[in-house]
Amino acid sequence: MSDHVSETEAASMIRDELPVGIVAEKRRIDHPWQEFKWIPVAVVPGAGKHSGWVKTGEGEGYEQFLIGTLTVEIFRKETEAYKVNLSSKRPSVYVVLRMAEEIEDPEIRAVFATVSPYEAQDYLDTGDDIVEQVPMPDGMAAWLQNFIDQHHVDEPFKKRKRKDFKQEAPKFGKVLHPIEQRFYGRNPRDLVEEGGE
């Protein structure tokens, strides 16, 4: 290990990754301005790189395609988020899709996949992307649980000590109203001597 890397930094760099194929569904919807809706519906752990889309299924009003492969990365410092995911009723992979920006682009593309609900929230906040939970396959859940078992460290809870406002002087030379004085433990009569009313 390099002399320039602390043990804490080294621990935070512990990671693993898994390629996953992204299956998206194009579903016909009843909407005046939009004919179809795209949503991610599944991931395929261990999928290799491929060129072009592969149709994986179809039915009345929908078609499904394998639209690409993404790498799900996991990190030691994020194990708490992974535990939250696996302890939920429906462990999920969060998949982010983005609509085409240029005419020559495919209608939709997969841009990100994660097993951290906190990372997924960052994409939900923008409102520009399609972010959906898809069921996490059992093999992927086992891979994630194994990583947690090896690397998770419970952080001790540190309660913040509250400031005692009675020890603080009023800021910026402000003369406080008698009612405000009770928060600072001063006698309201002191205000008169300082020029208060």
Side-chain angles (χ1 to χ4, degrees):
M1 185 188 310
S2 167
D3 294 337
H4 301 293
V5 179
S6 71
E7 284 185 35
T8 305
E9 290 172 323
S12 69
M13 288 189 276
I14 294 171
R15 58 181 291 281
D16 200 356
E17 62 182 42
L18 179 68
V20 293
I22 306 299
V23 179
E25 182 174 285
K26 183 179 185 180
R27 181 170 288 277
R28 187 177 297 279
I29 58 173
D30 184 20
H31 191 280
W33 298 293
Q34 189 177 343
E35 190 176 356
F36 295 98
K37 176 181 180 180
W38 281 99
I39 55 168
V41 291
V43 295
V44 183
K49 298 282 183 193
H50 60 88
S51 58
W53 288 14
V54 178
K55 185 181 263 190
T56 60
E58 64 183 322
E60 188 173 338
Y62 77 90
E63 294 178 290
Q64 292 181 350
F65 301 89
L66 181 64
I67 63 170
T69 302
L70 296 173
T71 300
V72 173
E73 295 182 294
I74 53 176
F75 301 90
R76 190 214 64 83
K77 64 182 180 179
E78 303 293 333
T79 52
E80 187 61 43
Y82 310 147
K83 285 180 69 176
V84 168
N85 188 350
L86 288 182
S87 66
S88 67
K89 289 183 179 178
R90 182 186 165 206
S92 302
V93 180
Y94 299 84
V95 178
V96 180
L97 302 181
R98 190 166 293 160
M99 298 300 291
E101 294 171 1
E102 305 292 338
I103 295 291
E104 62 272 11
D105 292 341
E107 286 182 64
I108 198 85
R109 64 188 172 98
V111 294
F112 187 65
T114 181
V115 288
S116 167
Y118 308 150
E119 273 190 303
Q121 186 63 46
D122 293 341
Y123 283 87
L124 279 168
D125 290 342
T126 68
D128 296 331
D129 298 313
I130 299 164
V131 184
E132 294 287 342
Q133 294 174 250
V134 303
M136 186 183 298
D138 291 343
M140 191 170 181
W143 165 75
L144 186 59
Q145 185 63 61
N146 183 56
F147 185 85
I148 293 169
D149 293 344
Q150 288 183 37
H151 302 295
H152 180 72
V153 177
D154 283 318
E155 298 291 337
F157 175 73
K158 293 181 183 174
K159 186 175 180 180
R160 290 189 303 169
K161 189 172 181 181
R162 294 180 67 178
K163 278 188 173 182
D164 183 1
F165 288 102
K166 293 180 182 178
Q167 301 300 320
E168 274 191 18
K171 302 280 194 273
F172 307 112
K174 177 183 174 188
V175 177
L176 299 176
H177 187 277
I179 292 174
E180 293 176 298
Q181 284 299 313
R182 63 186 171 169
F183 297 112
Y184 291 92
R186 296 179 64 198
N187 187 329
R189 273 191 223 137
D190 294 343
L191 293 171
V192 176
E193 295 169 13
E194 294 175 8
E197 295 183 335

